[in-house]
């Protein structure tokens, strides 16, 4: 049912399955995002869908119910014996997703990574993502500026070990934070990409670390959980929260003071460029191996001028 939510939201068709003439199949793209019904992937899908239509291709989608490699593997395996011409995929694990994706590639399907990527760089024709290390560095600079010379501890909330993007954001943040001797990290904590776990980590950190001055949440789920943790403890605005992404809930939180800054990605551009690279690969045109989508630092003061970067719930 939740797949239907994503599909309805984006007005796309179901995964092709058994049908399709060879001519139709040569024009068929499939997008397998990290998880269904999440504003980041919905926005990515909107960009991909519009570009596919423009270039004369169809795009169907099939999303796992959770951000989970086993569930995503099922979706990849379900492409079966009648796969699309190209697969756009956001691998939920940089290692565990290698074998299933390789299996699809071995049938001649072009592979384009959108957002996350595999450690093994030999499978995909092209990868499009934000510069996640730079995003983490930008978050550290932003948090240091917000702390304004105040000394104290900082908590980093990551998702799951093996998620290439958020792991790079956390590492970039930790590295850059060393430039600010007044701030020390209490370490990277994993949340399984569950807002509830992020909220609990914040509750625990507030209890164990009285000098906590800031939190870096590496994606929208960790951010939404961190905001809940701060709300529950009555610490909103006292502990600076820098989030990643720009979901409707994060944007509302920025407006009402729960977040002091958001680092927004451009998921629609990632989807659009993913389709362009897939089509180039299919049509024998030059393909760019790695493309970087821009990031935008958004605060309450500049948010109205940056509303084009807010993520969508539907296309
Ligand atoms: O931050 C995005 C995405 O870039 C990341 O790979 C996983 O989490 C999100 O989908 C947001 O929840």
């Amino acid at each position: 049912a939740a797949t239907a939510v994503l599909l309805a939201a984006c007005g796309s068709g179901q995964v092709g399955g058994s049908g399709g003439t060879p001519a139709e199949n040569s024009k068929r793209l499939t997008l397998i995002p990290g998880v269904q019904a999440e504003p980041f992937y919905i926005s990515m899908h909107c960009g991909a869908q519009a570009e596919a239509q423009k270039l004369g291709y169809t795009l169907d989608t099939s999303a796992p119910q959770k951000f989970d490699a086993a569930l995503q593997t099922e979706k990849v395996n379900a492409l079966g014996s009648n796969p699309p011409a190209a697969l756009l995929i956001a691998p939920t694990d940089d290692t565990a997703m290698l074998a299933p994706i390789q299996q699809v590639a071995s049938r001649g399907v072009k592979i384009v990574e959108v957002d996350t990527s595999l450690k093994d760089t030999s499978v995909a024709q092209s990868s499009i993502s934000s510069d996640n290390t730079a995003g983490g560095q930008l978050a550290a600079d932003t948090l240091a500026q917000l702390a304004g010379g105040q000394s104290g501890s900082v908590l980093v909330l990551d998702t799951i070990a093996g998620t290439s993007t958020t792991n790079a954001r956390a590492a970039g943040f930790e590295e850059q934070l060393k430039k600010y001797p007044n701030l020390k990290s209490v370490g990277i904590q994993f949340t399984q990409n569950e807002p509830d776990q992020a909220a609990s980590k914040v509750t625990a950190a507030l209890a164990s670390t009285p000098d906590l001055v800031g939190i870096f949440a590496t994606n929208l789920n960790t951010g939404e959980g961190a905001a809940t943790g701060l709300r529950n403890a009555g610490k909103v605005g006292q502990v600076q929260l820098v989030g990643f992404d720009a979901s409707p809930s994060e944007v509302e939180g920025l407006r009402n003071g729960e977040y002091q800054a958001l680092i927004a990605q451009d998921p629609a551009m990632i989807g659009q460029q993913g389709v362009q690279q897939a089509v180039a690969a299919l049509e024998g045109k030059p393909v760019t191996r790695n493309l970087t989508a821009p990031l935008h630092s958004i605060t309450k003061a500049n948010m109205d001028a940056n509303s084009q970067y807010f993520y969508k719930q539907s296309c």
Side-chain angles (χ1 to χ4, degrees), residues 38 40-41 67 115-116 165-166 169 219-221 245 265:
E38 190 194 86
F40 175 82
Y41 295 113
F67 195 95
D115 180 48
T116 41
T165 50
T166 60
R169 291 168 203 164
N219 81 340
L220 67 86
N221 297 302
D245 297 307
Q265 306 188 73

